[in-house]
Amino acid sequence: MHYHKLEQFPKDFLWGASISAYQAEGAFDEDDKLLSIIDKYNHPKDVANFEVASDFYHHFKEDIQLLAEMGLKAFRFSIAWTRIMTFDESRVNKKGIAFYHQVIDECLKHGIEPIVTMYHFDLPYCLEEKGGWANRATIDQFLDYVQVLFQEYGDKVNYWLTINEQNTMILHPGAIGIPETGELPTKKELFQINHHVLLAQAKAFKLYHDLHLKGQIGPAINLTAMYQATAAPADAIAAHNWETLRGWSFLDTAVRGTYNYLFEKYLMDRKLYPTVNNGDFDILKAGKPDFIAINYYSTATIAASKNDGTDQSARAGDQQIMLGEEGVYRAAENPYVDKTPYGWVVDPIGLRLTLRKLYDRYGLPILITENGYGAPDTLEVNGSIHDPERINYLAQHIYAIQEAITDGVQVIGYLPWSAIDVVSTHQGFNKRYGFIYVDRTDSDLKELKRWKKDSFYWYQKVIQRNGLN
Ligand code: BGP
């Protein structure tokens, strides 16, 4: 639909940017931080690991100062569970707690709204040794941690995100590293893990509301609308299959406290249904989110399953992520969209569509917690970094958000990935997303000096104007 005039962004729109603890902080074993699965898992050898990352742990003041200069209204970061809990009689690590107080206070000092992710892929390794999320006891551990977060930071933080991309954890577990045994959990185990994470999340929602804290809490899913490859009805069913199994099945439980009907049938048919205890659905129903956060990068295009053993294929340029599922769907190419240098589909209209579908379904406010353009950048001798493709990508997506707002969708903020350059989940430091360049390479830490990219100055203007020109 074309409009005569687009609506303005709301006055209090949360223009921001995002990072996560393990991809930005470094200091992986400093100040008694425990190791997480990310620290212990195997990652590609030829790219940067997460030990130093962007060294945000030691640069956070300078970084937040730069974010303030860019004009950010909000900054999303995650708290590392492994810096907060000790899992011994001391219960909490005072240095870790103090660190995040400093980060939050630094944001508040600059008028930046801290948006906190409680869990961004980095399970404490000591819990993994006891079965990780497959062990129901991890739910209580999570709640203990969450309680500390609410107690410590509850009066300073207005936006909480429970679990980052639960669907990536479950559907593409290899994306965050490979366990030392070399073995990823089986599908059956993954859906048990999924059930436990959903329970932990619902309990966190409930606890937050029971405490009558002043802010809001929600899940953060990687969401994308699915296109059918052709007008063939079988393609339409396959696209619906995958849109449900990849996105709605996670959110339906988070919002409605039930398992999606198609998801249930899928699990039962394939003998993947998790063990559900008496009362689990009461727990799931008792916890409600106030808003939904989504990470959106690309749309996917879907063809009917052939169910002949060939439905699965590796994502272009990325052998660790398998697309397609036997008897469910096949990945197809979309001739109408561009791609990033890493082969990720660029589809701003797809964002408008995703926002509409999400709002249709739940009618809850939406916070976009990730979106961005991952590509190599070049630091010029004069200290400039020209990233016109990133600017173009972000501008198109901001325009699409404005169109969605004009459609009537309630979008409350936009927090592109990433505020500063961080280590890519499994593609190191060559693939950059930041507004701020961090001067290091995969193999050379250099001085980790910060430089402003062209996109920094461009985003600064967008925020000043409260939207595009
Ligand atoms: C999301 C993750 C982020 C981030 C981003 C970009 O799935 O939540 O942590 O890494 O993807 O992905 P990548 O680093 O693989 O390019």
Side-chain angles (χ1 to χ4, degrees), residues 350-458:
L351 173 56
R352 182 183 183 186
L353 182 62
T354 303
L355 291 169
R356 281 189 187 195
K357 287 188 170 191
L358 178 61
Y359 198 60
D360 278 351
R361 199 168 180 105
Y362 308 114
L364 286 172
I366 301 168
L367 183 63
I368 300 166
T369 40
E370 286 183 34
N371 171 238
Y373 185 84
D377 285 317
T378 308
L379 176 64
E380 308 287 346
V381 274
N382 65 0
S384 58
I385 299 104
H386 305 304
D387 55 348
E389 297 85 2
R390 180 166 299 109
I391 293 173
N392 188 31
Y393 177 99
L394 296 170
Q396 291 183 66
H397 286 80
I398 291 173
Y399 188 77
I401 297 166
Q402 195 174 356
E403 287 186 305
I405 289 174
T406 308
D407 291 332
V409 179
Q410 192 186 354
V411 187
I412 57 173
Y414 179 58
L415 303 141
W417 189 264
S418 50
I420 60 173
D421 286 339
V422 299
V423 190
S424 156
T425 317
H426 55 278
Q427 284 161 320
F429 238 93
N430 207 31
K431 187 188 198 186
R432 293 168 183 268
Y433 287 88
F435 293 102
I436 296 162
Y437 184 91
V438 175
D439 191 16
R440 61 159 290 181
T441 66
D442 280 332
S443 54
D444 183 358
L445 286 178
K446 301 197 192 169
E447 289 173 33
L448 292 151
K449 216 170 152 267
R450 278 47 177 164
W451 298 92
K452 298 170 207 167
K453 300 185 193 177
D454 286 356
S455 56
F456 176 101
Y457 299 104
W458 169 82

Side-chain angles (χ1 to χ4, degrees), residues 454-469:
D454 286 356
S455 56
F456 176 101
Y457 299 104
W458 169 82
Y459 197 39
Q460 187 180 50
K461 287 210 189 76
V462 171
I463 299 173
Q464 271 164 12
R465 282 193 299 255
N466 197 32
L468 300 166
N469 220 350

Side-chain angles (χ1 to χ4, degrees), residues 22-23 120-121 164-165 222 295 297 344 370 417 424-427 431 433:
Y22 80 90
Q23 290 170 280
H120 198 118
F121 302 152
N164 180 69
E165 294 196 1
N222 183 307
N295 297 346
Y297 289 88
W344 288 29
E370 286 183 34
W417 189 264
S424 156
T425 317
H426 55 278
Q427 284 161 320
K431 187 188 198 186
Y433 287 88

